[in-house]
């Protein structure tokens, strides 16, 4: 029977900041209770077998072997119980939790990576815990610093830099991860502390029926015809998309070096603000654009391609002519988390050509493993696998973004979002 990966609802797993336990005792209690319960069943059965098999057998007479039959029954039950317990221990010699993005990412990552991994490694159980974004992951990691309830995390490179500086992630020995050698160099700045696992790009997404001619420029967001029909998923000024759009707006305003200043970009986004319908789309920008609630927005290419397929093409995406910027997801093992060996085994598998290609084909993320064999039809839908589109990429130094993160996002909270109210 195919083994099913389990996922935790954010409302059930106590990893949110306001729910986190300092010592993780709730998890230990649950596991210990189950172990004690099963052990008591086993010893009760063995005790009955002892009383039946050793106290009565000499009294049993020929033609009256009821006690012997009972002894055999209890012995069989005890051995069966012991076998089940041993089997459970073998099947789940290690139990790890991977925290990452929820929604389509979670659904497809479990199918393409987690379940095949568990089939190949039946001694390791993997539970996927979905969260809203990388900032949420960082908050959970901070809250669980002394007793992590997750073993590994998939999140953004710029946030990983903060996690490393705060001592929240382990420094893995990449020599023990054979697939690390086959990864592209992009996103390797943090070495074993945060290993690149997917590449993506920011796209312009639009409703097909609202645009008889597909838009080609980021300036479409500022088009007066789209007044009140624009969605910008800034998530309160704390999202990676807000950072990327700031860099893009800065270039549109004539300033290419975001390290020098972002003021031109901020001013341009302040001009956009009154035309924005919402900064926090529910459930997400892709759905609202697809159903016509909005006409145009921004979104990641991977999810855009996924939603294009699942909305019968009503939602479309494009890499604008001015170029776009890439986003890098990495995977880290948490410092102080248990099951380090099992965690490293999973991470190595997640970096393998097979896992990378499987996820690319269902979710359209560019693989980080250079040996991943992705079919041609899928490659055409991933900008980073298209040489012509790669040439138009806006260079982003994610290590500097980690240092500048607050400076870039502060204007969103103080200037940009308030200008739309």
């Amino acid at each position: 029977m195919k083994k099913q990966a389990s996922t935790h609802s954010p409302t059930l797993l106590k990893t949110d900041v306001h729910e986190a336990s300092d010592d993780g005792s709730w998890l230990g209690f649950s596991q210990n209770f189950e172990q004690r319960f099963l052990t008591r069943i086993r010893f009760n059965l063995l005790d009955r077998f002892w009383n039946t098999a050793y106290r009565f057998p000499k009294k049993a007479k020929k033609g009256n072997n009821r006690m012997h039959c009972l002894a055999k029954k209890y012995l069989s039950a005890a051995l069966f119980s012991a076998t089940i317990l041993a089997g459970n221990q073998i099947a789940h010699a290690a139990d790890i939790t991977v925290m990452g993005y929820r929604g389509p990412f979670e659904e497809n990552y479990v199918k393409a990576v987690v379940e095949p991994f568990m089939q190949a490694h039946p001694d390791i159980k993997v539970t996927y815990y979905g969260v809203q974004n990388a900032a949420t992951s960082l908050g959970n990691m901070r809250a669980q610093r002394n007793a992590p309830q997750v073993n590994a995390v998939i999140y953004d490179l710029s946030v990983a830099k903060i996690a490393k500086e705060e001592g929240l992630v382990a420094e893995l020995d990449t020599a023990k991860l054979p697939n690390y050698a086959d990864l592209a160099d992009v996103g390797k700045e943090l070495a074993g502390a945060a290993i690149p696992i997917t590449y993506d790009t920011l796209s312009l997404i639009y409703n097909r029926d609202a645009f008889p001619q597909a838009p080609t420029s980021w300036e479409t967001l500022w088009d007066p015809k789209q007044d009140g029909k624009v969605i910008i998923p800034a998530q309160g000024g704390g999202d990676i998309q807000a950072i990327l759009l700031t860099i893009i707006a800065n270039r549109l305003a004539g300033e290419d070096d975001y390290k020098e200043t972002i003021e031109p970009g901020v001013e341009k986004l302040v001009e956009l603000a009154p035309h924005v319908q919402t900064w926090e789309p529910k459930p997400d920008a892709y759905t609202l654009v697809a159903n016509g609630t909005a006409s145009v927005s921004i979104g990641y290419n991977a999810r855009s391609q996924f939603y294009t397929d699942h909305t019968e093409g009503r939602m479309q995406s494009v890499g604008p002519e001015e170029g776009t910027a890439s986003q890098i997801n990495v995977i880290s093992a948490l410092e102080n988390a248990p099951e380090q060996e099992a965690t490293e085994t999973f991470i190595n598998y997640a970096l393998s050509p097979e896992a990378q290609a499987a996820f690319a084909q269902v979710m359209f993320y560019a693989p980080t493993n250079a040996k991943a064999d992705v079919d041609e039809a899928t490659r055409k839908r991933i900008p980073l696998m298209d040489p012509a589109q790669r040439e138009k990429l806006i260079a982003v130094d994610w290590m500097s973004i980690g240092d500048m993160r607050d400076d870039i996002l502060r204007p969103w909270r103080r200037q940009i979002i308030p200008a739309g109210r």
Side-chain angles (χ1 to χ4, degrees):
M1 181 180 292
K2 185 178 178 182
K3 190 175 182 181
Q4 295 294 319
S6 61
T7 60
H8 276 303
S9 166
T11 59
L12 295 179
L13 183 64
K14 292 190 176 180
T15 58
D16 288 337
V17 174
H18 63 284
E19 294 180 302
S21 168
D22 290 336
D23 60 2
S25 59
W26 72 273
L27 183 59
F29 172 80
S30 175
Q31 292 171 336
N32 291 338
F33 177 80
E34 180 183 6
Q35 185 177 20
R36 290 197 304 270
F37 177 73
L38 292 173
T39 301
R40 177 167 291 184
I41 291 177
R42 180 182 62 182
F43 280 104
N44 282 345
L45 288 168
L46 287 173
D47 184 58
R48 288 184 178 227
F49 164 68
W50 176 272
N51 288 335
T52 304
Y54 287 91
R55 287 176 57 188
F56 301 111
K58 290 182 180 179
K59 297 181 180 179
K61 297 180 179 180
K62 188 176 180 180
N64 185 12
N65 59 357
R66 179 174 177 273
M67 292 301 177
H68 284 290
C69 291
L70 272 172
K72 288 181 181 179
K73 287 182 180 181
Y74 283 126
L75 175 60
S76 298
L79 291 176
F80 177 75
S81 174
T83 301
I84 291 298
L85 287 168
N88 281 344
Q89 291 177 356
I90 293 172
H92 305 305
D95 190 338
I96 66 173
T97 298
V98 178
M99 179 165 60
Y101 305 107
R102 66 191 184 196
F105 188 106
E106 174 179 354
E107 177 186 346
N108 287 284
Y109 199 78
V110 168
K111 291 178 181 177
V113 180
V114 174
E115 289 179 352
F117 170 80
M118 290 198 298
Q119 289 176 354
H121 300 272
D123 57 327
I124 302 175
K125 178 185 177 183
V126 179
T127 298
Y128 188 101
Y129 173 52
V131 297
Q132 182 178 14
N133 54 32
T136 306
S137 291
L138 181 62
N140 289 340
M141 293 162 69
R142 285 169 170 166
Q144 301 168 21
R145 177 188 296 273
N146 297 324
Q149 295 175 28
V150 298
N151 304 84
V153 56
I154 298 172
Y155 57 160
D156 181 80
L157 177 60
S158 65
V159 177
K161 182 177 185 293
I162 299 171
K164 180 184 178 183
E165 291 171 349
E166 295 183 8
L168 299 172
V169 295
E171 291 267 6
L172 299 184
D173 181 358
T174 57
K176 295 181 180 179
L177 304 172
N179 289 314
Y180 184 85
D182 296 326
L183 303 185
D185 291 333
V186 178
K188 278 187 171 180
E189 291 87 346
L190 300 180
I195 303 170
I197 196 167
T198 67
Y199 300 138
D200 203 1
T201 52
L202 195 69
S203 296
L204 188 70
I205 66 174
Y206 62 96
N207 182 283
R208 176 192 59 197
D209 298 332
F211 290 89
Q213 266 192 316
T216 59
S217 171
W218 291 110
E219 292 286 359
T220 303
L221 295 169
W222 283 264
D223 186 344
K225 295 178 182 177
Q226 305 308 321
D227 184 27
K229 303 175 183 177
V230 179
I231 284 177
I232 302 295
Q235 302 300 337
D239 192 76
I240 301 299
Q241 292 182 80
I243 293 175
L244 291 176
L245 188 58
T246 303
I247 294 172
I248 292 169
N250 214 39
R251 289 173 66 92
L252 294 175
E255 178 56 66
D256 292 346
D257 189 356
Y258 63 87
K259 295 180 185 179
E260 183 69 26
T261 178
I262 60 169
E263 282 306 311
V266 171
E267 290 176 5
K268 189 168 182 64
L269 289 168
V270 168
E271 294 174 7
L272 173 64
H275 306 291
V276 174
Q277 181 186 122
T278 180
W279 305 98
E280 297 190 27
K282 306 293 182 186
D284 52 61
Y286 310 95
T287 300
L288 298 186
V289 169
N291 66 24
T293 300
S295 296
V296 63
S297 183
I298 61 173
Y300 292 119
N301 175 74
R303 290 179 183 246
S304 299
Q305 298 296 331
F306 174 84
Y307 277 95
T308 294
D309 289 346
H310 288 76
T311 61
E312 299 178 339
R314 292 190 302 275
M315 195 225 73
Q316 296 285 323
S317 67
V318 63
E321 59 192 7
E322 299 94 346
T324 187
S326 64
Q327 182 266 341
I328 303 168
N329 284 323
V330 294
I331 187 167
S332 296
L334 271 67
E335 185 72 13
N336 300 323
E339 305 291 5
Q340 196 72 8
E341 184 177 347
T343 301
E344 291 181 9
T345 300
F346 175 78
I347 289 175
N348 185 60
Y349 178 86
L351 302 175
S352 69
E354 297 78 15
Q356 292 266 302
F359 192 51
Q361 288 174 195
V362 296
M363 201 61 204
F364 305 100
Y365 281 91
T368 59
N369 191 311
K371 293 184 177 179
D373 185 14
V374 180
D375 65 85
E376 189 61 28
T378 302
R379 294 173 70 91
K380 288 180 178 179
R381 300 177 66 179
I382 302 176
L384 285 174
M385 303 192 82
D386 180 351
Q389 295 195 58
R390 276 204 307 269
E391 289 180 3
K392 296 192 296 180
L393 275 180
I394 299 170
V396 177
D397 178 3
W398 284 106
M399 293 299 94
S400 70
I401 293 296
D403 296 329
M404 298 173 62
R405 181 182 178 87
D406 288 341
D407 292 333
I408 294 176
L409 293 176
R410 191 177 301 111
W412 281 85
R413 296 187 290 269
R414 296 184 178 180
Q415 296 171 255
I416 299 168
I417 295 176
R421 293 171 182 161

